[in-house]
Every structure is written in structure tokens, then in C-alpha cells.
Amino acid sequence: MIDNYVTGSTIKFLREQKNMTQAELANKIGVSPKTVSKWETAKGLPDISLLESLAGALSVSVIELMSGKAVNNKNVSANMLRSKLYVCPICGNIMHSSGESIISCCGISLSPAEAEPTDNAHRIIIENIEDEYFVSVKHEMSKNHYISFLAYVTSDRFQLVKLYPEGNAESSFKISGSGYLYLYCNHHGLMRQKV
């Protein structure tokens, strides 16, 4: 099921930003001006097969067209501590961005996960072994309740290890300075602990 779909007001706004008439837009994507008018007045929706050409004609990505939000990455320094993590509630896919993004998976738009401090049930145990951190979490790892991933983030590095149910909630990370260790519990969400 698609959570967001392109709206007529978004099409109209983007078309007007480009100083384009309905007829000009229609000509670019091979539909009639009347069709564009129907979209903009919410009397119809563009067919999914037209989304790519419509987005191209309006100079936006399909995701921007569907969400109605422009993506402007102003994070030119790419400080990894500003990273955002996204987890799809349907398939469990994990996505990472180091700047402003619009992320979609399984037909839904995702919001960045908000990290809470670790609690006693999710405490990350850290051992220094030569030039690595060996991290572990004493947590259930059943098919119903598990830690999905562990990540170590510093200003210049992002390291992530995917974990699986019935495995161990542990991993090793190359030490690269102070930062945060993250874990994602499929029941309690994203948590972090300062290193």
C-alpha cells in the first residue's frame, strides 16, 4: 500500500515554479492539457507509469514528487555524527543518510529513527581488544524479540553490522575515536550509548 502519492497541488506548485503552462507540461509528458488540469484540481491522479517522466519534466526526483518535499543536502562537511538511520517497519531494511534525505521503502515514506539512551535491558558492553572495540548486548535474540543491528559512529566513520535472530548480539568495530554506539531493538527501537 502506498502511503504517499503525488498530489495536484504539488504538480501545480512545481509547474508554476518552472514558469510552465499546463499545455507545456502536457506536451513534455505526452498527455493532454485537460489531463494536467484534472490532476491539479484533484479530479484525477497521474498513472504510475507517468511518474518518472512527470518528475523529469518538473526537474525533481520521483520521491520528491510523491512527498511534495524538496531534498537539499546542505551537509557538505558530512560529519557522520549527524547521521540519520531509517528502519522499514515492513521488511526491516536499514538505511543511512549523512544529510537531509527523503527515504522510502516498501511504498511508505520513512522518518529517521530517534535514538534514546540505552537502558539496563539494552546496555552495550564494551571491551577494548587491541585496536578494536568488541561490543555485546545481553539481550534476547529470538525470532520475535532481537537486536537488528549494532553501529559505531564517529565524526568521520559509520560502521554498521546487521544481526539476525537466534544469533549473538555482538560485533567488533575498528576504534576510530569518540562517538556513539547504536543498537536497534525490534520492540524498543533505536538506542545509543556514548563511547
Side-chain angles (χ1 to χ4, degrees), residues 68-98:
K69 297 177 191 170
V71 175
N72 297 311
N73 190 352
K74 296 177 185 168
N75 187 9
V76 292
S77 66
N79 182 340
M80 299 310 277
L81 289 171
R82 295 183 185 137
S83 292
K84 293 179 173 58
L85 289 162
Y86 303 80
V87 180
C88 179
I90 297 171
C91 70
N93 196 8
I94 305 157
M95 286 140 289
H96 161 256
S97 72
S98 59

PDB file of all heavy atoms in Angstrom, residues 68-98:
ATOM      1  N   GLY A  68       6.208  15.692  -2.041  1.00  0.00           N
ATOM      2  CA  GLY A  68       5.964  17.128  -2.050  1.00  0.00           C
ATOM      3  C   GLY A  68       7.045  17.907  -1.319  1.00  0.00           C
ATOM      4  O   GLY A  68       6.891  19.088  -1.042  1.00  0.00           O
ATOM      5  N   LYS A  69       8.177  17.246  -1.006  1.00  0.00           N
ATOM      6  CA  LYS A  69       9.271  17.900  -0.282  1.00  0.00           C
ATOM      7  C   LYS A  69      10.528  17.873  -1.129  1.00  0.00           C
ATOM      8  O   LYS A  69      10.893  16.834  -1.670  1.00  0.00           O
ATOM      9  CB  LYS A  69       9.568  17.165   1.027  1.00  0.00           C
ATOM     10  CG  LYS A  69       8.432  17.152   2.009  1.00  0.00           C
ATOM     11  CD  LYS A  69       8.825  16.335   3.225  1.00  0.00           C
ATOM     12  CE  LYS A  69       7.650  16.071   4.123  1.00  0.00           C
ATOM     13  NZ  LYS A  69       7.954  15.097   5.164  1.00  0.00           N
ATOM     14  N   ALA A  70      11.197  19.010  -1.190  1.00  0.00           N
ATOM     15  CA  ALA A  70      12.467  19.080  -1.921  1.00  0.00           C
ATOM     16  C   ALA A  70      13.580  18.521  -1.055  1.00  0.00           C
ATOM     17  O   ALA A  70      13.571  18.675   0.171  1.00  0.00           O
ATOM     18  CB  ALA A  70      12.781  20.518  -2.300  1.00  0.00           C
ATOM     19  N   VAL A  71      14.538  17.873  -1.693  1.00  0.00           N
ATOM     20  CA  VAL A  71      15.708  17.365  -0.981  1.00  0.00           C
ATOM     21  C   VAL A  71      16.867  18.303  -1.272  1.00  0.00           C
ATOM     22  O   VAL A  71      17.290  18.436  -2.414  1.00  0.00           O
ATOM     23  CB  VAL A  71      16.063  15.924  -1.435  1.00  0.00           C
ATOM     24  CG1 VAL A  71      17.343  15.461  -0.776  1.00  0.00           C
ATOM     25  CG2 VAL A  71      14.926  14.979  -1.130  1.00  0.00           C
ATOM     26  N   ASN A  72      17.348  18.984  -0.239  1.00  0.00           N
ATOM     27  CA  ASN A  72      18.506  19.869  -0.371  1.00  0.00           C
ATOM     28  C   ASN A  72      19.531  19.435   0.648  1.00  0.00           C
ATOM     29  O   ASN A  72      19.332  19.631   1.846  1.00  0.00           O
ATOM     30  CB  ASN A  72      18.119  21.331  -0.090  1.00  0.00           C
ATOM     31  CG  ASN A  72      17.120  21.842  -1.090  1.00  0.00           C
ATOM     32  OD1 ASN A  72      17.309  21.681  -2.288  1.00  0.00           O
ATOM     33  ND2 ASN A  72      16.043  22.443  -0.610  1.00  0.00           N
ATOM     34  N   ASN A  73      20.601  18.839   0.195  1.00  0.00           N
ATOM     35  CA  ASN A  73      21.631  18.384   1.120  1.00  0.00           C
ATOM     36  C   ASN A  73      22.608  19.519   1.388  1.00  0.00           C
ATOM     37  O   ASN A  73      23.470  19.818   0.579  1.00  0.00           O
ATOM     38  CB  ASN A  73      22.361  17.157   0.570  1.00  0.00           C
ATOM     39  CG  ASN A  73      23.248  16.521   1.607  1.00  0.00           C
ATOM     40  OD1 ASN A  73      23.438  17.068   2.696  1.00  0.00           O
ATOM     41  ND2 ASN A  73      23.798  15.376   1.293  1.00  0.00           N
ATOM     42  N   LYS A  74      22.463  20.151   2.549  1.00  0.00           N
ATOM     43  CA  LYS A  74      23.327  21.259   2.935  1.00  0.00           C
ATOM     44  C   LYS A  74      24.465  20.790   3.819  1.00  0.00           C
ATOM     45  O   LYS A  74      25.281  21.577   4.248  1.00  0.00           O
ATOM     46  CB  LYS A  74      22.505  22.328   3.667  1.00  0.00           C
ATOM     47  CG  LYS A  74      21.449  22.952   2.768  1.00  0.00           C
ATOM     48  CD  LYS A  74      20.614  23.933   3.525  1.00  0.00           C
ATOM     49  CE  LYS A  74      19.494  24.449   2.626  1.00  0.00           C
ATOM     50  NZ  LYS A  74      18.485  25.168   3.332  1.00  0.00           N
ATOM     51  N   ASN A  75      24.516  19.504   4.104  1.00  0.00           N
ATOM     52  CA  ASN A  75      25.527  18.951   4.997  1.00  0.00           C
ATOM     53  C   ASN A  75      26.786  18.628   4.202  1.00  0.00           C
ATOM     54  O   ASN A  75      27.161  17.491   4.032  1.00  0.00           O
ATOM     55  CB  ASN A  75      24.966  17.687   5.672  1.00  0.00           C
ATOM     56  CG  ASN A  75      25.891  17.155   6.736  1.00  0.00           C
ATOM     57  OD1 ASN A  75      26.864  17.786   7.107  1.00  0.00           O
ATOM     58  ND2 ASN A  75      25.585  15.968   7.216  1.00  0.00           N
ATOM     59  N   VAL A  76      27.468  19.682   3.712  1.00  0.00           N
ATOM     60  CA  VAL A  76      28.612  19.457   2.837  1.00  0.00           C
ATOM     61  C   VAL A  76      29.814  18.896   3.574  1.00  0.00           C
ATOM     62  O   VAL A  76      30.661  18.251   2.983  1.00  0.00           O
ATOM     63  CB  VAL A  76      29.011  20.754   2.089  1.00  0.00           C
ATOM     64  CG1 VAL A  76      27.948  21.130   1.097  1.00  0.00           C
ATOM     65  CG2 VAL A  76      29.283  21.898   3.051  1.00  0.00           C
ATOM     66  N   SER A  77      29.909  19.106   4.876  1.00  0.00           N
ATOM     67  CA  SER A  77      31.050  18.562   5.616  1.00  0.00           C
ATOM     68  C   SER A  77      30.871  17.083   5.923  1.00  0.00           C
ATOM     69  O   SER A  77      31.827  16.410   6.257  1.00  0.00           O
ATOM     70  CB  SER A  77      31.255  19.331   6.923  1.00  0.00           C
ATOM     71  OG  SER A  77      30.169  19.114   7.790  1.00  0.00           O
ATOM     72  N   ALA A  78      29.678  16.573   5.797  1.00  0.00           N
ATOM     73  CA  ALA A  78      29.379  15.149   6.000  1.00  0.00           C
ATOM     74  C   ALA A  78      29.893  14.618   7.332  1.00  0.00           C
ATOM     75  O   ALA A  78      30.496  13.570   7.402  1.00  0.00           O
ATOM     76  CB  ALA A  78      29.905  14.316   4.846  1.00  0.00           C
ATOM     77  N   ASN A  79      29.668  15.348   8.408  1.00  0.00           N
ATOM     78  CA  ASN A  79      30.013  14.871   9.739  1.00  0.00           C
ATOM     79  C   ASN A  79      29.121  13.681  10.045  1.00  0.00           C
ATOM     80  O   ASN A  79      27.912  13.797  10.148  1.00  0.00           O
ATOM     81  CB  ASN A  79      29.811  15.988  10.760  1.00  0.00           C
ATOM     82  CG  ASN A  79      30.190  15.583  12.165  1.00  0.00           C
ATOM     83  OD1 ASN A  79      30.264  14.404  12.490  1.00  0.00           O
ATOM     84  ND2 ASN A  79      30.420  16.569  13.007  1.00  0.00           N
ATOM     85  N   MET A  80      29.721  12.511  10.179  1.00  0.00           N
ATOM     86  CA  MET A  80      28.955  11.284  10.351  1.00  0.00           C
ATOM     87  C   MET A  80      28.161  11.265  11.660  1.00  0.00           C
ATOM     88  O   MET A  80      27.209  10.508  11.790  1.00  0.00           O
ATOM     89  CB  MET A  80      29.875  10.073  10.266  1.00  0.00           C
ATOM     90  CG  MET A  80      30.589   9.956   8.917  1.00  0.00           C
ATOM     91  SD  MET A  80      29.487  10.076   7.497  1.00  0.00           S
ATOM     92  CE  MET A  80      28.922   8.413   7.414  1.00  0.00           C
ATOM     93  N   LEU A  81      28.536  12.110  12.634  1.00  0.00           N
ATOM     94  CA  LEU A  81      27.764  12.169  13.871  1.00  0.00           C
ATOM     95  C   LEU A  81      26.362  12.743  13.641  1.00  0.00           C
ATOM     96  O   LEU A  81      25.492  12.594  14.474  1.00  0.00           O
ATOM     97  CB  LEU A  81      28.501  12.989  14.933  1.00  0.00           C
ATOM     98  CG  LEU A  81      29.757  12.318  15.507  1.00  0.00           C
ATOM     99  CD1 LEU A  81      30.538  13.292  16.375  1.00  0.00           C
ATOM    100  CD2 LEU A  81      29.399  11.071  16.289  1.00  0.00           C
ATOM    101  N   ARG A  82      26.161  13.376  12.488  1.00  0.00           N
ATOM    102  CA  ARG A  82      24.831  13.902  12.135  1.00  0.00           C
ATOM    103  C   ARG A  82      24.010  12.866  11.363  1.00  0.00           C
ATOM    104  O   ARG A  82      22.955  13.163  10.824  1.00  0.00           O
ATOM    105  CB  ARG A  82      24.975  15.157  11.283  1.00  0.00           C
ATOM    106  CG  ARG A  82      25.621  16.301  12.009  1.00  0.00           C
ATOM    107  CD  ARG A  82      25.665  17.528  11.121  1.00  0.00           C
ATOM    108  NE  ARG A  82      26.390  18.587  11.781  1.00  0.00           N
ATOM    109  CZ  ARG A  82      27.272  19.364  11.205  1.00  0.00           C
ATOM    110  NH1 ARG A  82      27.541  19.226   9.920  1.00  0.00           N
ATOM    111  NH2 ARG A  82      27.882  20.312  11.874  1.00  0.00           N
ATOM    112  N   SER A  83      24.518  11.663  11.278  1.00  0.00           N
ATOM    113  CA  SER A  83      23.855  10.605  10.519  1.00  0.00           C
ATOM    114  C   SER A  83      22.434  10.362  11.004  1.00  0.00           C
ATOM    115  O   SER A  83      22.130  10.540  12.177  1.00  0.00           O
ATOM    116  CB  SER A  83      24.637   9.291  10.655  1.00  0.00           C
ATOM    117  OG  SER A  83      25.868   9.376  10.002  1.00  0.00           O
ATOM    118  N   LYS A  84      21.605   9.932  10.061  1.00  0.00           N
ATOM    119  CA  LYS A  84      20.235   9.544  10.372  1.00  0.00           C
ATOM    120  C   LYS A  84      20.061   8.094   9.940  1.00  0.00           C
ATOM    121  O   LYS A  84      20.571   7.669   8.909  1.00  0.00           O
ATOM    122  CB  LYS A  84      19.251  10.447   9.646  1.00  0.00           C
ATOM    123  CG  LYS A  84      19.278  11.887  10.133  1.00  0.00           C
ATOM    124  CD  LYS A  84      18.288  12.729   9.354  1.00  0.00           C
ATOM    125  CE  LYS A  84      18.132  14.119   9.885  1.00  0.00           C
ATOM    126  NZ  LYS A  84      19.266  14.944   9.967  1.00  0.00           N
ATOM    127  N   LEU A  85      19.343   7.347  10.762  1.00  0.00           N
ATOM    128  CA  LEU A  85      19.065   5.943  10.470  1.00  0.00           C
ATOM    129  C   LEU A  85      17.567   5.764  10.256  1.00  0.00           C
ATOM    130  O   LEU A  85      16.754   6.355  10.963  1.00  0.00           O
ATOM    131  CB  LEU A  85      19.533   5.060  11.625  1.00  0.00           C
ATOM    132  CG  LEU A  85      21.050   4.953  11.766  1.00  0.00           C
ATOM    133  CD1 LEU A  85      21.428   4.457  13.148  1.00  0.00           C
ATOM    134  CD2 LEU A  85      21.590   4.023  10.704  1.00  0.00           C
ATOM    135  N   TYR A  86      17.238   4.944   9.279  1.00  0.00           N
ATOM    136  CA  TYR A  86      15.852   4.658   8.944  1.00  0.00           C
ATOM    137  C   TYR A  86      15.678   3.143   8.941  1.00  0.00           C
ATOM    138  O   TYR A  86      16.523   2.426   8.410  1.00  0.00           O
ATOM    139  CB  TYR A  86      15.517   5.182   7.544  1.00  0.00           C
ATOM    140  CG  TYR A  86      15.758   6.664   7.372  1.00  0.00           C
ATOM    141  CD1 TYR A  86      17.037   7.161   7.140  1.00  0.00           C
ATOM    142  CD2 TYR A  86      14.706   7.562   7.432  1.00  0.00           C
ATOM    143  CE1 TYR A  86      17.261   8.523   6.978  1.00  0.00           C
ATOM    144  CE2 TYR A  86      14.917   8.925   7.269  1.00  0.00           C
ATOM    145  CZ  TYR A  86      16.199   9.397   7.043  1.00  0.00           C
ATOM    146  OH  TYR A  86      16.420  10.744   6.893  1.00  0.00           O
ATOM    147  N   VAL A  87      14.591   2.662   9.537  1.00  0.00           N
ATOM    148  CA  VAL A  87      14.311   1.228   9.559  1.00  0.00           C
ATOM    149  C   VAL A  87      12.893   1.021   9.040  1.00  0.00           C
ATOM    150  O   VAL A  87      11.940   1.598   9.559  1.00  0.00           O
ATOM    151  CB  VAL A  87      14.460   0.644  10.987  1.00  0.00           C
ATOM    152  CG1 VAL A  87      14.173  -0.851  10.977  1.00  0.00           C
ATOM    153  CG2 VAL A  87      15.852   0.924  11.550  1.00  0.00           C
ATOM    154  N   CYS A  88      12.772   0.204   7.997  1.00  0.00           N
ATOM    155  CA  CYS A  88      11.459  -0.069   7.423  1.00  0.00           C
ATOM    156  C   CYS A  88      10.686  -1.003   8.353  1.00  0.00           C
ATOM    157  O   CYS A  88      11.174  -2.085   8.684  1.00  0.00           O
ATOM    158  CB  CYS A  88      11.605  -0.710   6.048  1.00  0.00           C
ATOM    159  SG  CYS A  88      10.015  -1.111   5.283  1.00  0.00           S
ATOM    160  N   PRO A  89       9.487  -0.613   8.786  1.00  0.00           N
ATOM    161  CA  PRO A  89       8.703  -1.469   9.676  1.00  0.00           C
ATOM    162  C   PRO A  89       8.127  -2.702   8.988  1.00  0.00           C
ATOM    163  O   PRO A  89       7.675  -3.625   9.645  1.00  0.00           O
ATOM    164  CB  PRO A  89       7.580  -0.534  10.155  1.00  0.00           C
ATOM    165  CG  PRO A  89       7.427   0.453   9.045  1.00  0.00           C
ATOM    166  CD  PRO A  89       8.806   0.644   8.462  1.00  0.00           C
ATOM    167  N   ILE A  90       8.165  -2.731   7.656  1.00  0.00           N
ATOM    168  CA  ILE A  90       7.604  -3.857   6.918  1.00  0.00           C
ATOM    169  C   ILE A  90       8.655  -4.927   6.663  1.00  0.00           C
ATOM    170  O   ILE A  90       8.477  -6.094   7.001  1.00  0.00           O
ATOM    171  CB  ILE A  90       6.965  -3.376   5.593  1.00  0.00           C
ATOM    172  CG1 ILE A  90       5.794  -2.442   5.920  1.00  0.00           C
ATOM    173  CG2 ILE A  90       6.508  -4.556   4.739  1.00  0.00           C
ATOM    174  CD1 ILE A  90       5.209  -1.724   4.738  1.00  0.00           C
ATOM    175  N   CYS A  91       9.791  -4.534   6.067  1.00  0.00           N
ATOM    176  CA  CYS A  91      10.799  -5.539   5.693  1.00  0.00           C
ATOM    177  C   CYS A  91      12.035  -5.524   6.590  1.00  0.00           C
ATOM    178  O   CYS A  91      12.869  -6.412   6.498  1.00  0.00           O
ATOM    179  CB  CYS A  91      11.223  -5.342   4.238  1.00  0.00           C
ATOM    180  SG  CYS A  91      12.204  -3.855   3.953  1.00  0.00           S
ATOM    181  N   GLY A  92      12.179  -4.511   7.456  1.00  0.00           N
ATOM    182  CA  GLY A  92      13.335  -4.431   8.345  1.00  0.00           C
ATOM    183  C   GLY A  92      14.577  -3.851   7.692  1.00  0.00           C
ATOM    184  O   GLY A  92      15.648  -3.811   8.297  1.00  0.00           O
ATOM    185  N   ASN A  93      14.463  -3.388   6.445  1.00  0.00           N
ATOM    186  CA  ASN A  93      15.595  -2.791   5.739  1.00  0.00           C
ATOM    187  C   ASN A  93      16.138  -1.602   6.537  1.00  0.00           C
ATOM    188  O   ASN A  93      15.380  -0.836   7.113  1.00  0.00           O
ATOM    189  CB  ASN A  93      15.130  -2.336   4.348  1.00  0.00           C
ATOM    190  CG  ASN A  93      16.261  -2.062   3.398  1.00  0.00           C
ATOM    191  OD1 ASN A  93      17.420  -2.333   3.683  1.00  0.00           O
ATOM    192  ND2 ASN A  93      15.918  -1.504   2.254  1.00  0.00           N
ATOM    193  N   ILE A  94      17.467  -1.458   6.558  1.00  0.00           N
ATOM    194  CA  ILE A  94      18.124  -0.385   7.296  1.00  0.00           C
ATOM    195  C   ILE A  94      18.752   0.566   6.293  1.00  0.00           C
ATOM    196  O   ILE A  94      19.491   0.137   5.407  1.00  0.00           O
ATOM    197  CB  ILE A  94      19.237  -0.943   8.211  1.00  0.00           C
ATOM    198  CG1 ILE A  94      18.675  -2.005   9.134  1.00  0.00           C
ATOM    199  CG2 ILE A  94      19.916   0.172   8.984  1.00  0.00           C
ATOM    200  CD1 ILE A  94      19.741  -2.956   9.652  1.00  0.00           C
ATOM    201  N   MET A  95      18.462   1.855   6.420  1.00  0.00           N
ATOM    202  CA  MET A  95      19.048   2.850   5.535  1.00  0.00           C
ATOM    203  C   MET A  95      19.732   3.933   6.363  1.00  0.00           C
ATOM    204  O   MET A  95      19.308   4.221   7.478  1.00  0.00           O
ATOM    205  CB  MET A  95      17.979   3.460   4.632  1.00  0.00           C
ATOM    206  CG  MET A  95      17.549   2.499   3.543  1.00  0.00           C
ATOM    207  SD  MET A  95      15.795   2.485   3.196  1.00  0.00           S
ATOM    208  CE  MET A  95      15.086   1.722   4.600  1.00  0.00           C
ATOM    209  N   HIS A  96      20.768   4.518   5.795  1.00  0.00           N
ATOM    210  CA  HIS A  96      21.577   5.508   6.485  1.00  0.00           C
ATOM    211  C   HIS A  96      21.751   6.718   5.575  1.00  0.00           C
ATOM    212  O   HIS A  96      21.955   6.570   4.370  1.00  0.00           O
ATOM    213  CB  HIS A  96      22.942   4.881   6.815  1.00  0.00           C
ATOM    214  CG  HIS A  96      24.007   5.874   7.108  1.00  0.00           C
ATOM    215  ND1 HIS A  96      24.991   6.181   6.201  1.00  0.00           N
ATOM    216  CD2 HIS A  96      24.235   6.638   8.197  1.00  0.00           C
ATOM    217  CE1 HIS A  96      25.794   7.078   6.735  1.00  0.00           C
ATOM    218  NE2 HIS A  96      25.347   7.383   7.932  1.00  0.00           N
ATOM    219  N   SER A  97      21.660   7.910   6.139  1.00  0.00           N
ATOM    220  CA  SER A  97      21.986   9.108   5.371  1.00  0.00           C
ATOM    221  C   SER A  97      22.872   9.995   6.234  1.00  0.00           C
ATOM    222  O   SER A  97      22.737  10.033   7.454  1.00  0.00           O
ATOM    223  CB  SER A  97      20.727   9.864   4.940  1.00  0.00           C
ATOM    224  OG  SER A  97      20.129  10.505   6.044  1.00  0.00           O
ATOM    225  N   SER A  98      23.774  10.704   5.577  1.00  0.00           N
ATOM    226  CA  SER A  98      24.647  11.619   6.313  1.00  0.00           C
ATOM    227  C   SER A  98      24.191  13.059   6.127  1.00  0.00           C
ATOM    228  O   SER A  98      24.870  13.984   6.525  1.00  0.00           O
ATOM    229  CB  SER A  98      26.105  11.458   5.867  1.00  0.00           C
ATOM    230  OG  SER A  98      26.220  11.719   4.493  1.00  0.00           O
TER     231      SER A  98
END
